[in-house]
Amino acid sequence: MSSKSGKVFLVGAGPGDPDLLTVRAMKTIESCDLILYDHLVSELIRELFPTGTPAIYVGKCKERHSIAQEDLNELLVKWSRQSKCIARLKGGDPFVFGRGSEEMLALRSAGVEVEVIPGITSASGCSTYAGFPLTHRGLATGCTLVTAHTRNGENPNWGALAALDHTLVFYMGLTKALDISMGLLKAGMSQDTPVAIVENGCRVDQRTLVSTLCHLPSTVIEENVKSPALIVVGDVVSLRDTLISSGRSWAGDDTDLMTAIGQ
Ligand code: SAH
């Protein structure tokens, strides 16, 4: 059965700037015979799709409901029977909150060959493009990637997160800004802990807002922050001012980003 199927590549497309695609991702995009992409794959990346290759949007349907993951898995299996090589593009890295492993399991159990091409995850891309690191000696002994949306709706273990002395990066955190703030404050983190909100990171319309743990929820509301946005909590954010003024303009303010990606 598997010999009749094509191969599916789960390709990490990075956070948005086409220059952050890996060479491997680009080669796969150029050589596949079908592209499937989701809502996090930026417009500038979509412009790189070869004009002769069919590209299907599998993020959200017209009514803006997500295609159920199970239905998508079935479609992937079906399409793999009809194509030699499918590039299934996902924002960031397929294995970081990208449900790549779920798709991989479904394809494997249907006998379809699958390979994952890692991408730059948004934590890495957004922090760098916003002008601060994820770790820094003396400021954070590590970095923890957290989803603010769990399958069963449970909260993260705020006490454990607060005790880590890590930079905390919240994916899908916008609607949970109040929970994040309250949870970490109650767990003993300082109300002045710096927080960065990076909206549309590594894209032409990137916006970086710097706030504090205490003011995070009001900043999200007052600034009308839109998805996709990443919430980064930790002292590393305070390095932003120094690093931006140190001359690496591509990681500087957001106008410089546009220059950096040729806009
Ligand atoms: N696999 C992706 C994450 C998918 S979960 C990755 O590795 O980055 C979706 C969440 O990722 C969004 O809600 C947002 O929190 C974050 N995200 C993805 N791309 C982003 C971008 N360009 N700017 C800001 N946040 C982004």
Side-chain angles (χ1 to χ4, degrees):
M1 183 170 68
S2 60
S3 60
K4 283 193 193 140
S5 296
K7 180 166 176 177
V8 176
F9 290 86
L10 297 178
V11 183
D17 181 350
D19 284 355
L20 296 184
L21 277 169
T22 62
V23 175
R24 189 94 201 285
M26 203 54 232
K27 282 183 182 166
T28 308
I29 290 170
E30 282 166 351
S31 62
C32 67
D33 45 28
L34 176 64
I35 296 171
L36 307 173
Y37 64 96
D38 69 23
H39 64 289
L40 284 174
V41 175
S42 72
E43 201 180 324
L44 287 181
I45 289 178
R46 298 199 304 269
E47 283 173 10
L48 297 177
F49 295 170
T51 44
T53 309
I56 302 175
Y57 177 58
V58 293
K60 301 200 176 172
C61 66
K62 267 187 249 142
E63 294 79 33
R64 296 193 66 77
H65 294 129
S66 298
I67 295 181
Q69 188 68 46
E70 295 71 30
D71 296 342
L72 182 54
N73 293 347
E74 268 180 35
L75 279 174
L76 278 170
V77 172
K78 189 178 129 197
W79 284 328
S80 72
R81 309 269 185 246
Q82 299 158 7
S83 313
K84 269 203 263 180
C85 170
I86 296 180
R88 162 66 172 118
L89 254 66
K90 287 172 166 287
D93 183 287
F95 274 1
V96 179
F97 304 127
R99 306 189 74 170
S101 40
E102 289 174 45
E103 286 178 20
M104 193 168 183
L105 286 171
L107 287 161
R108 283 262 166 94
S109 67
V112 180
E113 201 184 342
V114 195
E115 190 175 324
V116 179
I117 300 177
I120 292 183
T121 190
S122 42
S124 182
C126 292
S127 57
T128 299
Y129 274 46
F132 58 86
L134 288 174
T135 64
H136 186 85
R137 233 167 359 133
L139 292 185
T141 59
C143 167
T144 297
L145 310 184
V146 189
T147 172
H149 274 274
T150 54
R151 190 156 65 167
N152 50 16
E154 272 172 24
N155 273 324
N157 183 336
W158 300 117
L161 290 175
L164 278 172
D165 191 27
H166 280 190
T167 303
L168 303 175
V169 184
F170 290 92
Y171 288 65
M172 298 168 274
L174 267 192
T175 58
K176 298 279 181 178
L178 185 61
D179 293 345
I180 294 169
S181 175
M182 297 277 290
L184 293 175
L185 288 172
K186 277 194 194 155
M189 281 181 80
S190 161
Q191 59 176 5
D192 298 323
T193 308
V195 172
I197 305 158
V198 187
E199 178 190 72
N200 286 317
C202 308
R203 300 173 183 201
V204 279
D205 45 359
Q206 172 173 313
R207 186 163 65 129
T208 307
L209 302 162
V210 175
S211 183
T212 59
L213 193 52
C214 179
H215 290 115
L216 165 66
S218 54
T219 307
V220 167
I221 292 168
E222 279 159 22
E223 297 288 341
N224 193 20
V225 182
K226 298 272 190 253
S227 186
L230 211 64
I231 296 173
V232 185
V233 179
D235 290 331
V236 288
V237 172
S238 63
L239 286 173
R240 183 168 191 254
D241 292 339
T242 323
L243 294 183
I244 284 175
S245 59
S246 71
R248 287 304 300 265
S249 60
W250 58 270
D253 68 35
D254 300 336
T255 320
D256 293 329
L257 171 70
M258 294 188 207
T259 317
I261 65 178
Q263 296 303 301

